[in-house]
Amino acid sequence: MKYLAFFAFAFFIISFLLISYVMIRLTIRHSRRVKLMKWKKMCDLLVRTAILAETHQINDEFKLTPRVKMMLSNGYFRRLLTDKLLVAKKNILGHSADGVTRLYLQLGLEKYAVAKLRSRYWNLKASAMQEIGLMGLTIQLPQIYRYTNNKKELVRDEAQLTIIKLFGFDGLRFLDIISYQLTGWQQIRLLHELSLVESENFSAIDKWLQSENKSVVIFAIKLAATYRRFELYNDVALHLENIDEEIRLEAITCMKKWEAADAKELLMNLFPQEIPKNQLAIATAFQTICTNVDIPKLISFLDTENNRLKYLLIKAIACIDVETIKVLKNSFSPAETDVLMIINQVEGEIIK
Amino acid sequence: MSWQSILGDLLSYGLLAYSVILVSFYIFIALYSIGELRTYIYKNKFTDYRILASTEQAPGISMLAPAYNEGANIVENVRSLLSIHYANLELIIINDGSKDDSLAKLIEVYDLYKVDYFVNQQIATKAVRGVYKSRKAIYRKLIVVDKENGGKADALNVGLNIAQKDYLVCIDVDCVLVQDALLKLAKPFLEYNKKKVIATGGVVRIANDCEIKNGKLIKVNLPSGFLPLAQTLEYIRSFLLGRMAWSRLNGLLLISGAFGAFDRDIAIKAGGYDHNTVGEDMELVVRMRRYMEERNLPYVVSFIPDPLCWTEAPSTFKILGRQRNRWTRGTIETLKIHKKMFFNRKYHILGMISYPYWFFFEFLSPIIEFFGFIGFVIFSLLGLTDYKFFVSLFALVFSFGFLYSSFAIFMEVLTYNQYKRRRDILRLVLTAFGEAFIFHPFIVWSAIKGNIDLLRNKSAWGEMTRIGLGGKKKK
């Protein structure tokens, strides 16, 4: 019983400490509210000055009050200002963005980013690289490049993005060395970042298409599809028969995007033995790459239990020749209600 | 030693052992959730979700919202759902045989017309009377399905049959989603390479007394009534601590029916929602997990702690009792359907930890608590057990409950901090103190009633009268 009472007492004491901590924290936050508002205003003013700096002042230093310089030793203020500068830099372009970078450098904030980069905490490392990338600073590059294959996912993701931000398509060379898989989310981020830089006739996709890293192959196919690198047709087409179903799916999607009529025969041959998910992707591709001569073959594929596949195949036929599905409709007996309903649906969609 | 005193000792020490194990489990959950929360917040602090909103690589989402007699608010609710930021989206409203003018209102306001639509009956459902689409391009994402009444599970299954996208988000039509809810919910599906993410759960928060305008959350307020307040605290504990810890363990069994995302293929292969249980949301997650386990397919059920979905909580004992009664029956039915997994090593964490946890601490807990309390009172009155022991045990359990709630409040303030005023936090602390005497006994009693109703084969959903977030009373 003594132990029970002791633990009950201990639990109450811990609760009291937790609640006290929360209340003190909120009280401090509340009492600093006015001060914080002032700091925020100061930061906003500084950022505004940087954004509105005239073009001819490009090499001039911003006039900073002694108070601002003094405030930089305050960690909270520095973080607040850095965050505001980063948000501004993210959302603007041109001279205004250059002004933000100039102010950032003039305030010496990059040295804090470098210190964060050397931190042993992965979240600080990642945050530092975001800062460096956004500000376009070519500092600590060997270290950042090494981080592109770091075991911590967030560190390597941010390192890869930073390299792209700084070097555009040339930065993609990290694809040569990474041993970890790129997640779908990271691929989206990389493609987005690449879309912001000037598209060049970058090389090495053919090499990445042969990579032993599956995600690099998938990403390379996405690059080939997005940037319409038709000269890589043969390399991508080889992946239509890859042993990995996800790579095959990406290759099919690429062919669809390219509207690659040349791949038609290959896709038609592969169609019967593909897994259902990839069959759906091929059927979608048929909508753009097939022609009238392919209609008999497409009709033969309709002999399937998969209604979703039937729908896509009928839609492909309708996309080629809408009249054919009217003929097709008559070829089915009224008892085959499913397929007739699908035809009606496709008719409705196409006519609309 | 008489048999009566042996019985008294058995009861005392049995309850003590159960309490110690329960407390240990909760301590583990509380501490284990910290790492998951911290990692999530660090990882997503600088995430630019706008990328996902605009890219053609974003996973396609079919949002399923069943509606039954929602005529009072259906137009506004649909408008709110249509305004969610997500490009690759279709919104499927399933009118589950409403007796009011829900469908007519939708047809009129959204300029709907009946289309020829093949409903792929991958899962058997009640008959679909018609599928409607809008003539206006601005509402091209909207599909309205009119079907015969068959209950929520049946309506969701119709949605599953109709959905064209790879992922499903199932929501209650009257929930208020924050604008980037789908972007955040979709992201986990893209984050794994070696494992398939089969479902993602999101946090549901209490919207009572919050400011809501045109279906959008304008200002978060702490509920004024005691019951919604106690549920607010309960939801913080459950979502911020419990589910985050289970997510880290990859042992999550429940994704709220009010807001969750699923892999459509796996949901269909697993057989869709079960009509025969009132806990269809939990049952589907368990069945999807079981499907993956039995095929040895690597998978994850993830959970994100951002407060994305806001819903109205019952504000009367009557409605709350019905809800908790149903939840209890749903839990028991799900455990019964999947009893094969109980301590079955073949199902790994699912069979060895998650299922036993739910069995011992979710299903049995109210029963042990209820009968333990009655037993103690009787034995104490008869002088067969020491009442001081009972008081000490009660103090231990009560103080731990208070500590667990305090820790949840602490984590809330440190992470999402939805209630910023000190007064609000104090009210939550007071609620944590008071709930053990009013709210918790009522929840235990509702669970006992749920057990009794199940034994008597009652399978009613229970009418959920709501005041409505816009102030209108609805059922």
Side-chain angles (χ1 to χ4, degrees):
Chain A
M1 255 190 313
K2 266 186 205 164
Y3 287 116
L4 292 182
F6 169 76
F7 277 112
F9 183 69
F11 289 157
F12 272 124
I13 294 292
I14 301 170
S15 308
F16 177 74
L17 292 174
L18 283 174
I19 294 161
S20 303
Y21 176 82
V22 166
M23 295 313 288
I24 291 168
R25 191 186 162 97
L26 289 176
T27 307
I28 292 172
R29 195 184 290 171
H30 186 76
S31 65
R32 279 184 180 169
R33 207 175 46 172
V34 179
K35 201 192 280 180
L36 271 178
M37 291 298 284
K38 271 187 194 167
W39 289 1
K40 275 183 186 165
K41 271 186 187 166
M42 268 174 81
C43 294
D44 286 339
L45 193 68
L46 277 167
V47 173
R48 223 167 20 236
T49 312
I51 291 172
L52 299 175
E54 296 289 329
T55 317
H56 65 268
Q57 291 172 326
I58 200 119
N59 293 318
D60 295 347
E61 286 212 328
F62 293 100
K63 282 177 191 160
L64 302 175
T65 60
R67 183 168 157 74
V68 170
K69 286 175 187 165
M70 190 189 73
M71 286 296 294
L72 282 175
S73 58
N74 181 316
Y76 189 87
F77 177 81
R78 206 169 52 235
R79 276 197 301 276
L80 192 69
L81 180 57
T82 309
D83 286 348
K84 292 229 177 234
L85 287 169
L86 290 174
V87 169
K89 177 80 184 187
K90 209 179 209 175
N91 292 303
I92 53 172
L93 290 167
H95 289 304
S96 302
D98 294 340
V100 173
T101 309
R102 271 199 300 135
L103 179 62
Y104 178 87
L105 291 170
Q106 190 184 327
L107 293 168
L109 293 173
E110 82 282 8
K111 64 175 186 270
Y112 297 102
V114 172
K116 278 200 287 182
L117 193 65
R118 289 181 184 149
S119 159
R120 64 194 174 96
Y121 298 108
W122 57 269
N123 59 310
L124 292 182
K125 277 189 181 126
S127 151
M129 284 186 284
Q130 280 201 331
E131 216 169 302
I132 291 169
L134 263 174
M135 288 297 167
L137 310 177
T138 46
I139 52 172
Q140 304 292 319
L141 290 177
Q143 197 172 359
I144 296 174
Y145 191 72
R146 259 202 317 278
Y147 283 156
T148 57
N149 201 30
N150 192 279
K151 64 177 180 184
K152 270 282 177 196
E153 189 188 338
L154 191 64
V155 173
R156 65 172 184 268
D157 283 0
E158 290 309 325
Q160 290 163 6
L161 277 174
T162 305
I163 292 290
I164 298 279
K165 275 186 183 121
L166 298 175
F167 300 108
F169 286 90
D170 287 342
L172 284 172
R173 66 193 174 104
F174 69 78
L175 292 174
D176 298 342
I177 55 139
I178 55 169
S179 52
Y180 295 96
Q181 300 290 312
L182 295 167
T183 62
W185 170 242
Q186 177 67 355
Q187 291 181 35
I188 287 175
R189 291 173 81 195
L190 291 171
L191 285 172
H192 173 77
E193 211 52 60
L194 288 169
S195 73
L196 303 177
V197 296
E198 187 99 356
S199 169
E200 302 153 29
N201 208 14
F202 56 102
S203 55
I205 301 185
D206 49 346
K207 191 167 64 180
W208 301 325
L209 283 169
Q210 312 302 324
S211 173
E212 285 183 7
N213 183 326
K214 175 181 148 184
S215 67
V216 170
V217 176
I218 290 176
F219 186 66
I221 298 173
K222 282 182 185 168
L223 281 173
T226 308
Y227 294 95
R228 307 217 155 236
R229 301 292 293 267
F230 300 120
E231 74 274 18
L232 295 166
Y233 171 79
N234 289 332
D235 301 80
V236 177
L238 276 176
H239 286 301
L240 289 171
E241 293 174 275
N242 195 298
I243 195 159
D244 187 281
E245 59 192 58
E246 286 178 52
I247 294 179
R248 290 202 306 272
L249 178 63
E250 204 53 57
I252 295 164
T253 311
C254 178
M255 294 300 171
K256 180 190 168 267
K257 239 179 177 177
W258 279 350
E259 297 182 9
D262 293 352
K264 188 174 66 184
E265 289 302 319
L266 189 52
L267 287 174
M268 284 201 160
N269 292 335
L270 291 172
F271 183 82
Q273 68 248 28
E274 257 301 358
I275 60 162
K277 188 176 180 183
N278 291 1
Q279 279 186 326
L280 295 176
I282 295 176
T284 311
F286 284 157
Q287 290 174 22
T288 49
I289 62 173
C290 287
T291 55
N292 284 44
V293 291
D294 305 310
I295 288 177
K297 189 100 182 185
L298 293 179
I299 292 173
S300 74
F301 290 151
L302 284 175
D303 186 18
T304 168
E305 293 294 306
N306 186 335
N307 284 323
R308 174 87 189 129
L309 194 56
K310 265 185 208 161
Y311 164 79
L312 290 171
L313 288 167
I314 291 170
K315 195 158 184 184
I317 295 166
C319 286
I320 300 163
D321 179 15
V322 77
E323 294 303 316
T324 308
I325 59 166
K326 287 177 184 160
V327 180
L328 195 64
K329 201 170 168 180
N330 296 327
S331 69
F332 289 103
S333 76
E336 291 174 280
T337 49
D338 281 4
V339 75
L340 290 173
M341 280 288 286
I342 292 172
I343 292 173
N344 284 342
Q345 182 184 341
V346 171
E347 251 183 335
E349 287 169 0
I350 297 286
I351 289 163
K352 188 175 176 287
Chain B
M1 215 179 198
S2 66
W3 67 269
Q4 289 99 329
S5 59
I6 291 173
L7 210 61
D9 282 353
L10 263 179
L11 178 76
S12 305
Y13 291 108
L15 280 179
L16 176 66
Y18 183 80
S19 305
V20 169
I21 296 169
L22 187 67
V23 164
S24 310
F25 235 110
Y26 275 104
I27 290 174
F28 169 74
I29 282 174
L31 298 178
Y32 203 60
S33 66
I34 298 173
E36 185 75 350
L37 259 169
R38 196 176 48 190
T39 305
Y40 180 84
I41 289 171
Y42 284 159
K43 261 180 88 174
N44 294 284
K45 196 174 171 189
F46 303 108
T47 301
D48 189 353
Y49 289 98
R50 287 176 301 180
I51 297 172
L52 205 49
S54 56
T55 178
E56 59 176 30
Q57 311 262 348
I61 289 181
S62 300
M63 186 152 50
L64 312 183
Y68 178 70
N69 290 350
E70 299 274 354
N73 297 303
I74 189 92
V75 170
E76 279 309 307
N77 291 337
V78 169
R79 187 164 292 141
S80 163
L81 294 174
L82 281 169
S83 71
I84 297 290
H85 293 162
Y86 203 85
N88 198 357
L89 172 75
E90 63 178 4
L91 170 62
I92 304 174
I93 306 291
I94 307 119
N95 178 41
D96 189 25
S98 294
K99 289 169 191 153
D100 64 2
D101 56 351
S102 301
L103 184 64
K105 277 185 173 172
L106 288 172
I107 289 173
E108 190 196 330
V109 174
Y110 294 104
D111 196 8
L112 302 178
Y113 68 101
K114 200 170 182 176
V115 293
D116 282 318
Y117 202 98
F118 170 69
V119 181
N120 198 1
Q121 283 278 340
Q122 297 157 99
I123 301 161
T125 62
K126 287 271 171 75
V128 171
R129 294 194 284 231
V131 176
Y132 297 80
K133 284 188 174 181
S134 177
R135 288 187 186 87
K136 293 180 180 165
I138 196 169
Y139 302 130
R140 67 188 179 281
K141 289 177 183 175
L142 178 64
I143 298 172
V144 174
V145 186
D146 183 34
K147 67 176 280 284
E148 286 173 12
N149 181 259
K152 190 178 174 186
D154 192 64
L156 285 166
N157 281 339
V158 167
L160 266 165
N161 287 337
I162 294 227
Q164 306 258 1
K165 309 284 184 183
D166 289 342
Y167 299 98
L168 310 165
V169 169
C170 302
I171 61 153
D172 286 348
V173 76
D174 55 353
C175 276
V176 176
L177 296 187
V178 298
Q179 291 290 293
D180 55 358
L182 292 190
L183 299 172
K184 288 183 173 170
L185 207 60
K187 188 171 163 256
F189 289 106
L190 299 164
E191 287 184 316
Y192 290 82
N193 277 318
K194 290 178 183 160
K195 291 178 177 178
K196 188 174 185 66
V197 180
I198 58 167
T200 302
V203 167
V204 179
R205 291 280 183 123
I206 304 294
N208 300 46
D209 288 298
C210 287
E211 228 175 272
I212 288 160
K213 204 173 174 186
N214 296 328
K216 290 195 178 83
L217 182 73
I218 307 293
K219 192 182 172 206
V220 175
N221 290 321
L222 197 62
S224 52
F226 174 73
L227 283 183
L229 194 56
Q231 288 169 86
T232 302
L233 184 60
E234 186 190 27
Y235 277 41
I236 294 173
R237 275 195 312 253
S238 162
F239 285 102
L240 216 50
L241 304 185
R243 296 203 190 168
M244 286 312 284
W246 283 111
S247 164
R248 189 175 174 189
L249 269 172
N250 195 19
L252 200 62
L253 284 197
L254 174 61
I255 284 176
S256 168
F259 186 52
F262 303 90
D263 183 298
R264 187 190 55 143
D265 260 4
I266 304 296
I268 289 173
K269 281 176 185 165
Y273 286 93
D274 187 345
H275 304 186
N276 301 317
T277 170
V278 287
E280 77 293 328
D281 45 2
M282 179 181 175
E283 204 282 326
L284 178 66
V285 178
V286 176
R287 198 143 31 82
M288 285 172 75
R289 293 191 71 130
R290 192 171 159 183
Y291 174 88
M292 299 301 278
E293 291 282 353
E294 286 172 352
R295 284 155 187 81
N296 277 325
L297 301 168
Y299 73 98
V300 172
V301 174
S302 75
F303 190 79
I304 53 170
D306 301 85
L308 303 176
C309 173
W310 295 76
T311 189
E312 186 192 351
S315 50
T316 64
F317 280 105
K318 193 173 158 190
I319 306 301
L320 179 66
R322 280 182 196 155
Q323 186 196 51
R324 298 313 163 101
N325 178 318
R326 177 165 53 81
W327 286 7
T328 302
R329 283 182 284 135
T331 301
I332 302 169
E333 282 166 350
T334 304
L335 291 175
K336 198 172 159 190
I337 293 168
H338 300 284
K339 58 179 183 284
K340 186 188 173 188
M341 297 191 302
F342 192 42
F343 282 123
N344 189 336
R345 275 192 301 182
K346 194 180 136 191
Y347 294 96
H348 307 106
I349 285 172
L350 184 63
M352 299 303 288
I353 303 176
S354 302
Y355 188 107
Y357 171 85
W358 274 80
F359 182 83
F360 289 114
F361 302 127
E362 296 288 344
F363 160 54
L364 280 186
S365 173
I367 298 173
I368 291 176
E369 217 175 305
F370 181 76
F371 288 107
F373 182 81
I374 291 176
F376 248 129
V377 171
I378 294 172
F379 276 57
S380 297
L381 288 174
L382 296 174
L384 297 173
T385 189
D386 184 0
Y387 77 92
K388 286 178 195 161
F389 182 85
F390 171 64
V391 173
S392 303
L393 187 60
F394 176 77
L396 177 86
V397 174
F398 172 71
S399 62
F400 180 74
F402 184 60
L403 171 62
Y404 195 66
S405 296
S406 303
F407 185 72
I409 296 169
F410 171 80
M411 291 300 288
E412 161 70 10
V413 172
L414 256 55
T415 54
Y416 294 100
N417 199 20
Q418 296 293 306
Y419 310 105
K420 294 183 173 60
R421 296 182 306 177
R422 280 170 298 173
R423 201 175 59 186
D424 287 344
I425 299 300
L426 268 180
R427 282 181 62 212
L428 280 175
V429 172
L430 285 176
T431 308
F433 201 84
E435 70 167 343
F437 303 101
I438 308 162
F439 182 74
H440 186 70
F442 180 75
I443 297 300
V444 170
W445 175 239
S446 303
I448 295 296
K449 277 169 73 176
N451 276 275
I452 296 167
D453 283 354
L454 195 72
L455 288 173
R456 291 161 68 186
N457 277 330
K458 275 193 185 175
S459 57
W461 182 267
E463 204 171 75
M464 296 292 293
T465 311
R466 289 175 170 174
I467 294 165
L469 296 171
K472 286 174 188 169
K473 194 163 191 167
K474 56 181 182 169
K475 282 182 177 184

